[in-house]
Every structure is written in C-alpha cells, then in structure tokens.
Amino acid sequence: MASTEGEPKISKRAAEKEAKKAAAKAVKEKAKAETASKPASNTPAAPVDPFRQGWLKGVYDEKPVKEVHTRFPPEPNGYLHIGHAKAITVNFGFAKSHGGICNLRFDDTNPTKEEEVYFTAIKDMVQWLGFEPHKITHSSDEFDKLYELAEELIKREKAPDEVKKGRGKLANGEHGPRSACAHWSRSVDENMELFRKMRDGGYKPGEVVLRMKQYLATKPEEYEVSEEDSAEAKREKEKLKALANNPAMWDVAAYRVTKNNHHHRTGDKWRIYPTYEFTHCICDALEDISHSLCTVEFETLRPAYNWLLDALDMKTEGSDEKGPMQREYGRLNVEGTILSKRRIAMLVEGTTVNDTVNNPASALTDELDELTLAEDGDEEPETTTEAAKAATSGPGRNIPPAVMSWDDPRLFTLVALRRRGVPPGALKKFVLDLGVTKANANTATHTLDSHIRTYLERTVPRLMLVLDPIKVTLTNLPDDYLEEREVPFDPKDKAKGTHIVPFTKTIFIDRDDFREEDDPDFFRLAPGKSVGLMNVEFPVRCTSFTKTLDTGKVDAILAEYGKEVPAGKARIHWVALSPAHHSPINAEVRVFNPLFKSQTPNSLDWKNGGYYDDLNPESLVTYPNAMVECGLEEVRRGAPWPKEEGEAMGVVDKSSVRFQGLRTAFFALDKDTTDDKVVLNRIVSLKEDTGKK
C-alpha cells in the first residue's frame, strides 16, 4: 500500500469547489465543440420588428389589409409632449412596417385656441423623430363636407338640440336621471331651419348646439331582459343597455357656436364649428384610414365613433371590414412630470389664481355639451364646476413664471427635450422598449434618463470639460512648454477620429478635484498629494495653493509635473491655457434637476397656486465660468451626434452638437449659444457621477 504521508491535505469544501470548476469547464468545452461542428453562416439573424409583435400584431391580424393607412391627429393648440412621442412612433411606425402610409392631420376645429406656432412645432417634431408624413391634412379642409353631412344627419333624423339637465348632470359632477330634451322629437324641417340659422350667426356662443340623436332617450324598459326573450333578443338588449349607459352615447354635440369665429385657415367663413366627436371619425373615413390607433381614454368613445360612421353609411354595423377600425393602446406616463398644457401654461406664463380673466388653468370653457376627457398629464379631469369654484373663491394670488419658456429643458414637452439635447432616436427606443399594449406604460424619470444615457454612451464623442475651474501652474515647466497630445474622440470607436489637445504650463482643473486638507479616502489632488491627468503621460503633485480673500475659496494651485512625481491613485480631467489653440473655450453650463421637490407634482394644489411652493430651488444650477477643451470646435463641425432619425435627414439645430464631458455628464449646445458665447445644457448625468473618489 502506497504511503500518503507528506501529501497536502485537501478539505472537503475545496474538493467540492474543484469538482464544480471541472464540471463547468466540461460543459463549456462541449458547447464549444458543438458550435464548431455546425456549418458556418454569413446570414445575420433578422431583426425583430416591434410593430409586428404583441398587441400591434393583433391589431393588424384583425384587419390585415394590403394598404395600411394611419394618421397622427394632434390638436394645434399647444406643444407636443413626451406622451405624443409614443403616438407618433406607433402610428407612423405601424404603417411603415406594413408598407403603408401615415398622414399628419391637424385637428383644427376650435379657432379659439389655435396658433400658427403650434402647427410649425408639431410638424418639426414629427420630422425630428424621423418620420415624413404621406401628406399633411387639416380637419378644416373638410368643413364644407362636414356641414353637408350634418344636414344629412338631420334629414335622417339622427340630429335634434336644456342640454345638461337632460343628460342628468348634477352640480357635483355626478349623473342623475336622464331624459331627452323637449326638442328631441322636433321635425326635420324645424331642425334644418334652426341649424341654418345657427350657421348664419343667429345665435350667440352657448345658446344652442346641434346634437346627435343617439341613446339619451332610451328607457330602461327597452333593454330589460325577460324570461321569454330568446338568446338573440337578450344579446341585443345587453348591447342596447351598454350603449344607453355610456355617456359618450348621450346625444353628444356635433356643432357649436364658438367665442372666436375667426379661423386661421378659413377666415370668417364659418360661425359654427364641428366638435371632435363629430369630426374625427368622419375625417378618418374621408382620408381612407384603415387603422385609427389612439390611446385608451378614447375606448369609451369607440361606440360613438362607429355609430356616426354607421349612420352615414361610411361603415357597416358590427363590422370593421368597411371604413376605419379604431383600436386603443396604453398611454405613456412618465412619473414626476407635468404634461397638461393647462398646467405648463401656468409654469411658463405665470398666473393669478381665483381670477377667471388671467388664470389659464381655471378659465371657464365654452358651454359645450360634449364628453370631457382628462387632458394628457392630468390625474383627473377638471370639471367645469371645479373650475368655476376655483375662479370665484378666495383672494387672488399673483404667481410668477417658474420656467423660461415652453422649451425650458426642465419640462417634458418635445421641444424642451430636444433643447436639452435628448436625441430623437433615444426617445423612439424608449417608447418601443416599454412596449405597446392596452396597459398604460407607467415609468419613472430615472428610467428615461437611463435609456438616454445608454443611447449616448457609444454614439457621441468625448471631451474634457471643467465646470468650476481652478488655475494650476506647473512650476517646474518652462513658460513656453507645449505638448500636443493626439486624443481619440472615443477610445472604443476609432471611426470617430482623433483631435489635438494642448498641454502647457498652465492648466485648469475642477474645484471638486481638489481639497485643502488631504483625506485617505480622497484620491484626487491635495497638498503634497499626486494625481494623474487624463491623456497625459506623467502625474502632478500639489506643492501649495492660495485663496481669494473676499470669498475664502481656493483660486490658484502650484504643482510640479514629471516622471519623478509619484503616481497617484486616480486620473482627473483638465483643460490647458494655449491661446494658439484657442484653448480653453469658455462656456456657461446649465445643469437641470427636477422642477419640483415632490415626486408626484400632478397631485399638488394647482387650483390655488400651491404648486409654486413646491418648486425645487436647485432645479437650475448654472456654472458661468466653465471651460471646454478646443476639440469642441471639431465636434461642432461634425454634428449631428449621432447621425440618426430626423437629424440624419437635416432636421437639426444647435442641440444636435452633443458630447460626453469626461467624468462629468453628457452635454449639448443650447440655442442661446452665439458667436461670442457658448452655452451648454446637461442632457443627463453619468452613471459614475455619484460617489466618485
């Protein structure tokens, strides 16, 4: 028997560990052998088309037409917000995926609120996201046809005209017993005469409306199921009950008299204008829309959408084969944001609460008899009763503007996100990564930031930028010392190229990278301590520093540089003084943080101005004396960064100049930049910006 004396002993735990390693190695080698035995293929896997998956696939399968035709139909009464990025992407992307077309249709039926600036901004945002409409249409293009169809409804006794009382609307906003108005059974001739009088200016705003004759007059006994009813009769009564109990079918308004009759496109031709409920579905049919895709709050309006098209023979009852098919997907909600146009107006313009004249949030709307939906971004719709109460109770309070404009980078309008520097491709990817389903896509701002950060990481060049500079003089170098360092714009992507960065006797570092007293856990510059410089061969060591008397802040550091200087544990960024290289480039840097202290700003008191008390005083932090290395000029010449989506097709502005400030954040050029002054906006922070040593 062989002796084991002198052999090292192996513990049971160590033996198990070795066995696991051996097993893992065997599995890996087996997989490698199987891969090697398979025939090589040069054909890459086909990319997944997000518009042919999940809910969208189901929508197409319901109506698999050869020519898909969609539309994006915004109201030109405000700027689009991040939620509209989803609507644009879904409608244009779905059509493109199936070889179809998508129209941009302006739903311009309310001349009171429409302005040319909104038309231009909406068109720009669609193109910036990389989509080109098949054609641009306006609901106002069809005013003559819409009026003609309204008269046709009257002839078919599908349109009659005391409105709120008949719909059972109580003072508290709830609904009580319903009944048809006294005019419900008026003759066709009478209705036609009154409608034409309405058209010809015979009534003031709020005096009359033309209503669709739907299910307001339906009595419960008409859909009460009895034991004698056949299965078919029971189904029909259940269908009738559903229609009769849907407020969208309670004889909603088709035409109204508006306070402002002048229309930006048709001038003073019309004194009456059609409602959304009347216009939208008809325009879909007139434009040969195959798939009318909208958000879930319009699901309750789908029966009304189909009812009107049925009544005008533009659709076949109970079938989507003829005419447009409406389907609804979940909205995109980003927590911590304000998307309501009414509330953003308060932030941009300021307001006087409890004042019907100056308060855009609580001013009473036209007296229209139509279904009121929550505006995008509101948690709950504001009822007319609530608005009236807010407008008349308590003393007035003047509240100043909280932001610079509708494109203030602290907002989440698309013009604001663009100005901040968010790439259009990042927004589209964000929308599609969240998915398109019936459920609302609720997400947080930090999730959006993470998507933007990931998108920028490999698509923009890198530069050194110092936010709050301190001058550093390298005393052991001659006054004319100069090194021209060739630095890549992206070490992992040679295609971005290189640029020359000067290194001289005088450099500037960030104030955060220096401490007056050393700390073992601080790895940057301090008295007697060394630190490396990015893109430079040797480290520097601080020998002394001086302070400004009036502020007590460090204003200058003396240091030595060279191979004799001990290596530091970290490397910091810097910018050199070199007039020959136009270095540094002076800049104002704006760092944007959440506008509100609350994580749920929609729940604040907007009616009485309480929202103003929750504004974050640090929502905008400005660094007026920042410095950027001279490579910024080459970055500006090479913009847009990245060359994707609409920016690749020339839809660019200054915000397309984007870069990563090493160890700092991602930045973009602001529109306030001039020939004499560079202004930069922080797009999003770096992952590494918290807790760096």
Side-chain angles (χ1 to χ4, degrees):
M1 182 176 179
S3 172
T4 59
E5 190 174 339
E7 292 183 9
K9 293 182 179 180
I10 301 175
S11 68
K12 183 179 179 182
R13 184 176 180 183
E16 290 175 348
K17 192 173 182 181
E18 288 298 321
K20 285 183 179 178
K21 283 184 179 179
K25 184 178 180 181
V27 170
K28 188 175 181 180
E29 289 180 351
K30 182 181 178 183
K32 187 176 180 181
E34 290 176 350
T35 302
S37 65
K38 292 180 180 178
S41 173
N42 293 326
T43 306
V48 175
D49 185 343
F51 300 101
R52 291 175 178 259
Q53 311 297 315
W55 181 82
L56 287 171
K57 179 180 184 300
V59 169
Y60 182 75
D61 288 346
E62 282 189 82
K63 189 167 185 172
V65 296
K66 183 178 292 187
E67 297 181 0
V68 170
H69 195 169
T70 61
R71 79 292 169 271
F72 172 58
E75 291 182 73
N77 61 0
Y79 292 94
L80 302 181
H81 57 65
I82 190 170
H84 292 111
K86 181 173 184 177
I88 294 169
T89 301
V90 168
N91 279 285
F92 281 90
F94 180 80
K96 184 177 179 180
S97 173
H98 293 283
I101 54 178
C102 181
N103 293 348
L104 169 58
R105 183 204 306 149
F106 290 109
D107 185 20
D108 55 344
T109 61
N110 188 354
T112 303
K113 300 179 180 180
E114 293 157 8
E115 296 180 29
E116 186 60 37
V117 64
Y118 301 136
F119 288 84
T120 302
I122 290 169
K123 180 182 176 183
D124 286 349
M125 289 303 96
V126 169
Q127 294 178 323
W128 178 67
L129 284 169
F131 299 111
E132 191 63 39
H134 170 64
K135 59 181 177 179
I136 296 176
T137 64
H138 302 75
S139 294
S140 57
D141 294 339
E142 307 294 349
F143 276 170
D144 289 312
K145 183 65 175 179
L146 289 164
Y147 178 82
E148 177 187 319
L149 291 172
E151 287 204 350
E152 181 63 27
L153 274 184
I154 293 174
K155 293 174 184 176
R156 298 186 185 197
E157 297 194 73
K158 295 287 186 179
D161 75 76
E162 221 147 319
V163 171
K164 292 181 182 177
K165 180 179 177 181
R167 294 182 63 163
K169 191 167 185 178
L170 306 177
N172 62 3
E174 300 295 324
H175 286 280
R178 309 187 307 274
S179 62
C181 68
H183 311 126
W184 203 85
S185 300
R186 183 184 280 149
S187 71
V188 169
D189 290 343
E190 287 179 287
N191 276 326
M192 190 70 76
E193 180 183 349
L194 292 170
F195 184 47
R196 290 173 178 172
K197 179 181 177 182
M198 181 179 169
R199 176 199 64 190
D200 297 336
Y203 298 101
K204 296 178 182 178
E207 283 190 326
V208 294
V209 293
L210 178 71
R211 302 168 67 197
M212 290 180 270
K213 203 170 185 179
Q214 297 169 308
Y215 294 92
L216 184 61
T218 303
K219 297 178 173 55
E221 51 266 31
E222 293 182 52
Y223 50 76
E224 185 177 332
V225 176
S226 66
E227 293 181 1
E228 293 78 20
D229 286 337
S230 65
E232 178 64 25
K234 289 178 180 179
R235 283 194 295 270
E236 289 300 316
K237 287 185 176 181
E238 287 298 323
K239 180 179 175 182
L240 179 60
K241 181 179 180 181
L243 291 168
N245 289 333
N246 182 354
M249 303 300 294
W250 292 352
D251 296 8
V252 296
Y255 268 84
R256 80 281 203 198
V257 182
T258 60
K259 293 177 181 177
N260 175 22
N261 289 327
H262 183 81
H263 192 276
H264 67 288
R265 298 187 75 243
T266 59
D268 297 319
K269 177 180 178 180
W270 296 96
R271 295 179 175 87
I272 58 173
Y273 290 94
T275 63
Y276 170 89
E277 290 86 352
F278 185 77
T279 306
H280 185 68
C281 59
I282 293 177
C283 284
D284 277 353
L286 294 175
E287 291 182 14
D288 293 322
I289 301 302
S290 61
H291 297 77
S292 177
L293 306 177
C294 52
T295 46
V296 288
E297 66 268 31
F298 291 96
E299 189 168 12
T300 57
L301 294 181
R302 194 202 297 179
Y305 180 100
N306 291 334
W307 177 91
L308 182 54
L309 295 181
D310 290 343
L312 293 170
D313 297 327
M314 293 178 163
K315 198 173 181 69
T316 303
E317 185 175 0
S319 171
D320 287 314
E321 186 175 349
K322 178 184 177 182
M325 179 183 80
Q326 177 178 309
R327 291 296 181 267
E328 309 82 16
Y329 56 87
R331 281 190 352 193
L332 170 59
N333 297 318
V334 180
E335 297 168 6
T337 63
I338 294 297
L339 303 182
S340 160
K341 291 189 288 284
R342 186 174 64 242
R343 291 176 180 175
I344 295 176
M346 296 172 74
L347 297 172
V348 174
E349 302 164 10
T351 186
T352 300
V353 295
N354 303 329
D355 184 335
T356 58
V357 175
N358 299 314
N359 183 1
S362 62
L364 298 181
T365 58
D366 289 346
E367 290 295 319
L368 304 181
D369 178 38
E370 56 187 334
L371 185 68
T372 302
L373 295 167
E375 188 178 349
D376 282 350
D378 288 354
E379 291 190 342
E380 296 293 339
E382 182 178 28
T383 66
T384 303
T385 303
E386 289 172 331
K389 182 179 179 182
T392 56
S393 63
R397 178 188 178 188
N398 293 319
I399 298 177
V403 295
M404 297 180 285
S405 57
W406 284 85
D407 65 355
D408 187 298
R410 289 166 289 186
L411 299 175
F412 285 79
T413 56
L414 290 184
V415 289
L417 290 168
R418 180 184 184 180
R419 181 178 179 182
R420 197 203 323 166
V422 177
L427 284 182
K428 286 174 66 173
K429 189 174 188 306
F430 175 63
V431 166
L432 295 175
D433 284 353
L434 289 176
V436 182
T437 67
K438 288 284 289 187
N440 285 333
N442 297 312
T443 188
T445 50
H446 67 79
T447 304
L448 172 62
D449 286 347
S450 178
H451 273 76
I452 297 168
R453 185 182 296 116
T454 300
Y455 194 88
L456 290 167
E457 179 66 29
R458 295 264 64 89
T459 59
V460 299
R462 301 181 180 195
L463 298 172
M464 292 188 289
L465 174 150
V466 176
L467 289 175
D468 190 2
I470 301 178
K471 180 180 178 182
V472 179
T473 302
L474 304 175
T475 56
N476 62 332
L477 295 181
D479 291 345
D480 60 353
Y481 185 83
L482 171 66
E483 285 184 46
E484 289 189 329
R485 312 291 299 188
E486 184 177 5
V487 178
F489 278 118
D490 185 345
K492 295 183 180 180
D493 183 3
K494 292 182 180 179
K496 289 191 179 74
T498 62
H499 61 294
I500 297 299
V501 175
F503 177 66
T504 63
K505 180 174 181 173
T506 302
I507 64 172
F508 299 88
I509 68 170
D510 207 302
R511 190 171 299 277
D512 283 347
D513 285 331
F514 179 77
R515 285 189 184 176
E516 298 176 38
E517 296 182 11
D518 192 14
D519 183 327
D521 293 328
F522 183 70
F523 303 141
R524 289 163 277 166
L525 199 61
K529 195 167 192 172
S530 301
V531 71
L533 298 177
M534 302 184 79
N535 303 313
V536 176
E537 188 173 0
F538 303 118
V540 298
R541 176 170 55 192
C542 173
T543 56
S544 65
F545 64 89
T546 59
K547 291 184 177 182
T548 303
L549 291 177
D550 56 346
T551 65
K553 289 185 175 183
V554 174
D555 64 349
I557 298 170
L558 299 181
E560 54 186 3
Y561 166 79
K563 61 182 178 181
E564 298 83 7
V565 175
K569 292 185 178 181
R571 285 179 177 265
I572 62 174
H573 58 284
W574 52 275
V575 177
L577 176 63
S578 177
H581 295 81
H582 303 288
S583 177
I585 295 174
N586 297 313
E588 175 185 307
V589 174
R590 298 169 181 172
V591 173
F592 300 97
N593 298 304
L595 184 58
F596 294 94
K597 292 178 281 187
S598 170
Q599 296 295 313
T600 55
N602 274 304
S603 64
L604 298 173
D605 180 6
W606 288 83
K607 295 182 179 67
N608 300 302
Y611 74 91
Y612 192 79
D613 303 319
D614 193 70
L615 291 172
N616 175 14
E618 300 295 316
S619 67
L620 170 58
V621 178
T622 302
Y623 294 89
N625 302 310
M627 296 178 175
V628 192
E629 59 158 283
C630 55
L632 176 61
E633 291 306 319
E634 290 184 55
V635 170
R636 292 181 71 169
R637 288 192 292 270
W641 298 94
K643 289 181 172 63
E644 294 181 10
E645 311 305 338
E647 291 183 343
M649 298 181 283
V651 187
V652 295
D653 63 5
K654 293 175 182 176
S655 68
S656 68
V657 180
R658 306 180 181 94
F659 65 92
Q660 179 188 141
L662 290 170
R663 301 180 61 247
T664 309
F666 291 97
F667 296 95
L669 213 61
D670 185 74
K671 71 176 188 179
D672 289 343
T673 296
T674 64
D675 292 340
D676 301 320
K677 181 180 180 181
V678 171
V679 180
L680 296 169
N681 295 329
R682 186 179 75 171
I683 307 171
V684 67
S685 64
L686 299 177
K687 295 178 184 177
E688 301 82 9
D689 68 345
T690 56
K692 67 182 178 184
K693 298 294 185 182

